[in-house]
């Protein structure tokens, strides 16, 4: 079969990453820009890249939309627990604001609706005012309105007026998000339950942050409700708008008691068996015995296989039969370098990704960069957009963002929590995470 003519500049000198070739999105082999598929693994090339290589006018990507700058992740080890003295001072400030607000309501009510009464005391005759009915309800409501407002403010904003002044915030202990009304109500119930025992229990609850075993100054009410009071003046503020994903980088707690290693009992080596050979008889004393059959030869020990046997290496691009079936060379065991990122799809297909690239039904580089990796998803792709996801593999990290796809994308963590990918906002992806692209799912693995 005759070989079709090749464009100028191709041949043995074509190497991966050169101007005439692009890396295969699946196996990384050099694929000429005019080739319809990879000669090593058979993966089809992008139709748009093929059309551009054949001389068709390039489709300029829209430059009106760019992803927002990526925010660095927030490490849990950098968050600073609020000092106990500052927490007490914030509590005093809130109490002072509450007392002033109550007096601003109570004094006019007493002045207008109060009934003066007189009585004798040890120091003389005193005059006081008493109210009942609606005026008394107004004063009682004023005394509870400020605490209720601070409860709602802490639930949905993460601070009270006292905490705001001193730079303190109250957040969820697991995700460092705003606590919400449920956790704040539970936190207040624990404090109120302590006041039932002659207010001694309430004092113990307020002092409980001092003996927090985790050294995060979380009291009993904080641990039950799952909240944490932090200092945003001394550390980062997780409730700010420009904070990235929270990453728990704290070392795991060591077990309280480790199992003692069992003592090693050294046993004396058994003495080698002594084989005694009886003296042979004289050669003329008896007839010679029949010779024993020769022992079968032992097979030589097989060396461990370092690589899967393969056929001859592929010839360089330029003189092979394009219609013939090609077999790729084998990969030695353990040849995958550490940190290699692989996308394993639900159909069994796997792609090794490096650097910056996009993924979709017929992806195109959003920045018209020749070095971008284009991962084309095969199979049923009706739910996948042409350029669905943008990704970049960086040293020690991998981020992905949705390219305003029609059916959206989401990351499913190892604990089963699904987090949608917001278009234009990058999200860190870890090894073992599953990414949903339309109706397709792939798993991200990082070689150790």
């Amino acid at each position: 079969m005759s070989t079709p003519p090749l464009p100028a500049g191709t041949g043995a000198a074509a190497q991966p990453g050169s101007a005439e070739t692009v890396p295969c999105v699946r196996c990384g082999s050099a694929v000429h820009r005019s080739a319809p598929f990879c000669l090593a693994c058979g993966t089809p090339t992008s139709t748009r890249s093929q059309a551009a290589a054949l001389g068709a006018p390039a489709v300029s990507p829209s430059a009106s939309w760019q992803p927002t700058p990526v925010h660095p992740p927030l490490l849990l080890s950098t968050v600073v627990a609020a000092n106990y003295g500052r927490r007490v001072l914030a509590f005093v400030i809130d109490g002072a604001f509450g007392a002033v607000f109550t007096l601003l309501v109570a004094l006019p009510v007493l002045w207008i609706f109060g009934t003066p009464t007189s009585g004798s005391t040890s120091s003389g005759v005193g005059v006081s005012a008493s109210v009942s009915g609606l005026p008394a309800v107004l004063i009682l409501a004023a005394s509870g309105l400020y605490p209720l407002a601070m409860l709602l403010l802490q639930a949905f904003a993460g601070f009270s007026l006292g905490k705001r002044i001193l730079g303190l915030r109250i957040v969820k202990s697991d995700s460092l998000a705003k606590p919400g009304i449920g956790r704040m109500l539970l936190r207040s119930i624990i404090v109120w339950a302590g006041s039932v025992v002659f207010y001694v229990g309430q004092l113990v609850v307020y002092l409980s942050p001092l003996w927090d075993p985790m050294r995060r100054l979380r009291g009993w009410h904080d641990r039950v409700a799952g909240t944490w009071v932090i200092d945003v003046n001394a550390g980062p503020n997780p409730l700010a708008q420009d904070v990235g994903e929270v990453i728990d980088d704290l070392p795991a707690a060591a077990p309280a008691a480790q199992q003692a290693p069992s003592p090693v009992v050294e046993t004396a080596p058994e003495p080698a068996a002594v084989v005694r050979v009886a003296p042979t008889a004289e050669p003329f004393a008896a007839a010679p015995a029949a010779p024993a059959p020769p022992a079968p030869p032992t097979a030589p020990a097989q060396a461990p296989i370092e690589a899967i046997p393969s056929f001859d290496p592929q010839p360089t691009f330029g003189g092979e039969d394009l219609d013939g079936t090609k077999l790729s060379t084998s990969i030695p065991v353990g040849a995958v370098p550490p940190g290699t990122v692989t996308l394993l799809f639900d159909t069994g297909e796997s792609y090794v990704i490096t650097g910056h690239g996009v993924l979709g039904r017929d992806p195109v580089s959003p920045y018209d960069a020749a070095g971008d990796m284009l991962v084309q998803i095969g199979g049923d792709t009706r739910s996948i957009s042409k350029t669905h996801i943008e990704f970049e593999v960086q040293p020690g990290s991998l981020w992905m963002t949705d390219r305003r796809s029609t059916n959206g994308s989401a990351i499913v963590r190892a604990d089963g929590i699904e987090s949608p990918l917001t278009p234009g906002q990058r999200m860190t992806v870890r090894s073992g995470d599953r990414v949903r692209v339309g109706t397709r799912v792939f798993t991200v693995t990082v070689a150790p």
Side-chain angles (χ1 to χ4, degrees), residues 345-359:
F345 281 81
D346 49 6
T347 58
E349 298 176 331
S350 61
Y351 301 90
V352 176
I353 61 173
T354 57
H356 182 270
V358 288
L359 178 149

Side-chain angles (χ1 to χ4, degrees), residues 71-147:
H71 301 305
L74 175 61
L75 302 180
L76 190 59
S77 59
T78 61
V79 181
V80 180
N83 180 270
Y84 184 75
R86 300 184 59 159
R87 291 181 62 174
V88 174
L89 183 57
F91 180 79
V92 172
I93 293 176
D94 285 330
F97 276 121
V100 170
F101 180 79
T102 304
L103 289 176
L104 291 177
V105 177
L107 290 179
V109 171
L110 290 175
W111 180 266
I112 298 174
F113 301 100
T115 302
T117 59
S118 60
S120 59
T121 60
S122 58
S123 59
V125 177
V127 178
S128 61
S130 62
V131 292
S132 60
L134 181 60
V137 173
L138 291 176
I139 296 176
L140 184 62
S143 62
L145 185 60
Y146 182 84

Side-chain angles (χ1 to χ4, degrees), residues 50 83 113 180 208 229 272 292 349 379-380 399 413 417 432-433 447:
Q50 179 185 353
N83 180 270
F113 301 100
S208 58
V229 182
E349 298 176 331
D380 184 11
W399 62 260
R413 301 296 186 186
I417 299 178
D433 290 347

Side-chain angles (χ1 to χ4, degrees), residues 270-288:
E270 297 182 0
V274 179
V275 180
R276 300 182 181 276
V277 180
T280 58
E282 296 296 331
F284 53 81

Side-chain angles (χ1 to χ4, degrees), residues 103-414:
L103 289 176
L104 291 177
V105 177
L107 290 179
V109 171
L110 290 175
W111 180 266
I112 298 174
F113 301 100
T115 302
T117 59
S118 60
S120 59
T121 60
S122 58
S123 59
V125 177
V127 178
S128 61
S130 62
V131 292
S132 60
L134 181 60
V137 173
L138 291 176
I139 296 176
L140 184 62
S143 62
L145 185 60
Y146 182 84
L148 178 60
M150 292 302 100
L151 176 69
L152 298 176
L153 191 61
Q154 293 180 88
F156 300 107
F159 60 84
S160 62
L161 293 183
K163 290 183 175 65
R164 176 78 177 186
I165 293 174
L166 297 180
L168 307 182
R169 298 293 185 273
I170 181 168
V171 296
K172 294 180 181 179
S173 59
D174 50 357
S175 61
L176 302 185
K178 298 171 185 176
I181 189 63
R183 301 198 183 205
M184 289 305 303
L185 285 176
L186 181 58
R187 190 174 185 267
S188 302
I189 289 174
I190 298 301
V191 177
W192 174 83
S195 64
V196 176
V197 190
F198 303 104
Y199 293 93
V200 177
Q202 187 176 12
L203 178 62
V204 174
V205 172
Y206 282 137
L207 292 176
S208 58
L210 298 176
W211 52 79
D212 181 13
M214 300 297 294
R215 300 182 181 273
R216 299 168 71 180
L217 297 179
R218 296 177 62 209
W220 291 347
H221 50 318
D222 288 319
R223 278 177 272 173
V224 172
T227 57
W228 187 18
V229 182
I230 61 175
D231 190 346
V232 298
N233 288 340
N237 183 7
L239 301 182
Q241 296 294 331
D242 57 347
V243 175
E245 184 182 6
V246 178
I247 298 179
D248 186 1
D249 61 334
L250 296 177
Q258 297 182 352
Q259 184 178 3
S262 58
V264 179
V265 180
E266 296 184 358
T267 58
E270 297 182 0
V274 179
V275 180
R276 300 182 181 276
V277 180
T280 58
E282 296 296 331
F284 53 81
T298 58
Q302 295 288 341
I305 298 176
E306 297 294 338
I308 302 174
S310 63
F311 296 94
D312 294 335
Q314 304 244 0
T316 57
F317 189 89
E320 69 277 16
D321 183 6
L322 294 179
D323 294 334
T325 303
K326 304 298 181 181
L327 298 176
S328 60
T329 56
S330 60
I331 301 177
V333 177
V336 178
T340 301
V341 181
T342 306
L343 308 182
L344 179 60
F345 281 81
D346 49 6
T347 58
E349 298 176 331
S350 61
Y351 301 90
V352 176
I353 61 173
T354 57
H356 182 270
V358 288
L359 178 149
R361 185 178 72 251
D362 190 9
V364 176
S365 172
Y367 314 113
D368 201 16
D372 280 355
M373 177 173 287
L374 306 178
V375 180
Q376 185 178 18
I377 304 177
D380 184 11
T381 57
R382 289 175 296 179
S383 64
I384 302 176
S385 300
K386 292 184 178 180
T387 304
H388 202 111
I389 281 182
E390 179 183 356
F391 62 86
E392 184 173 4
V393 181
Q394 298 175 343
S397 65
L398 165 66
W399 62 260
M400 291 187 179
T401 182
D402 188 271
R403 293 289 306 182
R404 300 191 181 276
S405 62
T406 304
N407 296 311
S409 312
I411 295 179
V412 182
R413 301 296 186 186

Side-chain angles (χ1 to χ4, degrees), residues 32-37 44-56:
H32 196 269
R33 289 187 178 274
S34 62
F37 55 86
T45 58
S46 172
T47 55
R48 293 191 181 181
S49 299
Q50 179 185 353
L54 293 176

